[in-house]
Amino acid sequence: MFPTRDLTDGNERLLERDRVHQLLIDAHPELEDRIEVDDANPMLRIPTGLGGAIILWKGEHEGILRWRMAAPEGEGVSIVEPNSIEEFPQLVAERLQASS
């Protein structure tokens, strides 16, 4: 019996989540204990110094499935869609610095 497309897609998303997590730790080892990994979804959460959190997730929006980042910005939230997951370490560092 072969795995279904949904099963392989789900596993692929979790592997990507683990890759994003490792990219963040490699670039910012001090974040290792702060990054919260969602066990069932392609999502990471990093609490900020002001009580909010940076959320990294892979999801569908307007028919496009891709990684995004939501971060506190002033009284609201900014959402960024990087071209590559390799951009997340720099983007997270910038948002953490802005929120401290």
Side-chain angles (χ1 to χ4, degrees):
M1 179 175 274
F2 295 100
T4 65
R5 179 68 181 181
D6 288 343
L7 181 60
T8 57
D9 286 350
N11 284 334
E12 186 176 302
R13 289 181 192 145
L14 295 179
L15 289 172
E16 282 182 321
R17 178 211 56 209
D18 293 344
R19 176 70 180 133
V20 171
H21 185 223
Q22 192 61 51
L23 286 168
L24 291 171
I25 291 171
D26 289 348
H28 308 288
E30 72 280 4
L31 294 179
E32 186 170 9
D33 294 336
R34 290 178 57 191
I35 300 172
E36 300 170 6
V37 179
D38 188 304
D39 291 332
N41 298 297
M43 185 172 76
L44 301 170
R45 183 178 184 275
I46 307 165
T48 65
L50 301 176
I54 296 170
I55 309 291
L56 308 172
W57 81 100
K58 186 169 189 176
E60 186 175 339
H61 178 69
E62 296 180 357
I64 299 172
L65 185 65
R66 63 180 300 161
W67 280 92
R68 295 174 176 85
M69 179 180 83
E73 185 172 56
E75 296 295 317
V77 174
S78 68
I79 297 179
V80 177
E81 294 182 352
N83 293 321
S84 166
I85 62 173
E86 281 77 18
E87 294 179 39
F88 278 133
Q90 180 63 34
L91 292 169
V92 166
E94 291 168 2
R95 295 312 318 160
L96 285 173
Q97 187 174 21
S99 68
S100 58

